[in-house]
Amino acid sequence: MVRRIASQVHKQVSRLMRVNYVKDEPAWYEAVLQFPPLPLPPKSPPIRHDSSRHSKLVPPKHKPVNIAYLEDEVRRQFFRDHPFEAFRPVSIVEGGAVAEEHPVQGKDWIRLSQHGKCPSPEDAVRFAVNLHKYHKVSLTVAYTRAVAEFRALRAEHDIASSFSRLEAEAYGATFPSEVDRTFQKEDMVYRAPERKRALDEGALLARKRWRAILSIDSGMGNTWSKGHEYARLQDQGVRPRHTYLDELSDSPSPRQEIAALSSGSQSASSEFLRMI
């Protein structure tokens, strides 16, 4: 039996007697019920001396290592010098696979233009770090050279874009603003029901145009004969008539028209030579 506190022994015995586990009542049971043992006093909190309150906290022995990258320092300095580059829109859509690194890296990367004629701020930062690591250039000189090439390439790109826009406008191209483009999209949405209605009417006319119309004189009549009349005419060699197809068969084909024109021109030229 599990050891119990003195104030719980008679309770445990009464539960055991209720389930017939203890059949004979102990001799002390009635006396304990009349005079139950006193409950234990609650446990008092430990006494703390005043000296423990002023104890100094021991710092942990193991501290996390400070993780720092050289690119972060160069990147912070770059955006301090070029704050408006942070407002340039950048696509953050991820593709199905991780983009591969540029093949020109390490000692082969000696000019920023090797990664494109329109570099991004990240290209300039990586170029400065690459010069510092692989070409043994001080970080200050590498950063100055990377920023100078970045500004030159961006200026060249802006000038080329401006002249391309002027050339396109001279040939009649238009470049609507974002506000005008938004208005155009709204107009397309408003005109969508009218365009859908026109397309539905055109499809209905096309279906009506190509619908088979059988004439009364075709011999088949307007009554449904379950195909017996059609089979009888087929056995007799009578061909069903179709108004639209008959008109197409009666009109000359483009090849016949060209042949007629060429024969007419040849006869006119021969008549002219005979007169001479």
Side-chain angles (χ1 to χ4, degrees):
M1 184 182 296
V2 182
R3 304 181 69 179
R4 298 286 178 179
I5 303 174
S7 60
Q8 298 179 355
V9 172
H10 63 286
K11 297 179 181 180
Q12 180 68 16
V13 172
S14 73
R15 286 194 292 267
L16 295 176
M17 291 172 60
R18 196 179 303 120
V19 297
N20 296 326
Y21 187 80
V22 177
K23 298 182 179 180
D24 298 334
E25 180 179 334
W28 50 264
Y29 184 71
E30 290 294 337
V32 172
L33 289 180
Q34 295 178 6
F35 304 97
L38 297 176
L40 296 176
K43 185 178 181 180
S44 60
I47 300 175
R48 296 183 179 181
H49 302 284
D50 295 338
S51 60
S52 61
R53 299 179 181 178
H54 302 285
S55 60
K56 296 182 180 180
L57 297 177
V58 180
K61 296 182 180 180
H62 303 285
K63 295 182 179 180
V65 181
N66 186 20
I67 301 176
Y69 293 95
L70 188 60
E71 289 83 354
D72 297 336
E73 182 180 353
V74 178
R75 190 178 293 108
R76 282 192 290 268
Q77 184 61 38
F78 180 87
F79 282 105
R80 289 194 200 102
D81 298 338
H82 308 82
F84 290 99
E85 288 294 330
F87 297 96
R88 192 180 296 274
V90 178
S91 177
I92 57 176
V93 178
E94 297 182 357
V98 179
E100 298 181 358
E101 291 287 341
H102 199 277
V104 180
Q105 297 289 343
K107 294 184 179 180
D108 297 334
W109 195 8
I110 57 177
R111 292 186 305 276
L112 182 59
S113 59
Q114 291 177 289
H115 279 212
K117 296 298 182 181
C118 184
S120 62
E122 194 64 26
D123 293 334
V125 172
R126 291 183 179 180
F127 180 62
V129 176
N130 186 80
L131 290 177
H132 176 68
K133 286 184 177 180
Y134 295 97
H135 296 279
K136 307 304 179 181
V137 182
S138 64
L139 188 59
T140 304
V141 176
Y143 175 76
T144 304
R145 178 178 172 184
V147 168
E149 294 190 18
F150 174 81
R151 294 172 180 174
L153 291 174
R154 275 297 177 85
E156 181 181 352
H157 181 267
D158 292 341
I159 293 173
S161 300
S162 300
F163 276 92
S164 299
R165 182 187 181 93
L166 293 176
E167 182 180 0
E169 290 178 350
Y171 282 102
T174 57
F175 298 95
S177 61
E178 292 297 330
V179 178
D180 296 336
R181 191 177 290 109
T182 304
F183 286 151
Q184 292 176 3
K185 291 181 180 180
E186 289 182 355
D187 293 340
M188 291 175 62
V189 174
Y190 293 149
R191 295 174 183 174
E194 299 179 0
R195 186 170 180 271
K196 184 176 182 301
R197 193 180 303 112
L199 291 175
D200 293 342
E201 292 177 357
L204 182 60
L205 292 175
R207 288 198 297 269
K208 287 183 177 179
R209 177 184 177 186
W210 293 102
R211 186 176 59 184
I213 302 175
L214 299 177
S215 60
I216 303 299
D217 57 351
S218 60
M220 297 180 62
N222 292 329
T223 59
W224 172 244
S225 62
K226 299 182 180 180
H228 299 296
E229 188 67 20
Y230 184 84
R232 184 181 64 80
L233 295 176
Q234 184 180 10
D235 295 338
Q236 296 178 2
V238 180
R239 179 184 177 186
R241 293 181 56 82
H242 193 285
T243 307
Y244 183 75
L245 295 177
D246 293 341
E247 294 177 357
L248 290 179
S249 60
D250 295 339
S251 60
S253 62
R255 183 174 298 177
Q256 294 175 354
E257 293 180 358
I258 295 174
L261 291 175
S262 60
S263 61
S265 60
Q266 291 177 1
S267 60
S269 60
S270 60
E271 183 65 23
F272 177 73
L273 293 176
R274 187 180 60 79
M275 291 175 62
I276 294 175

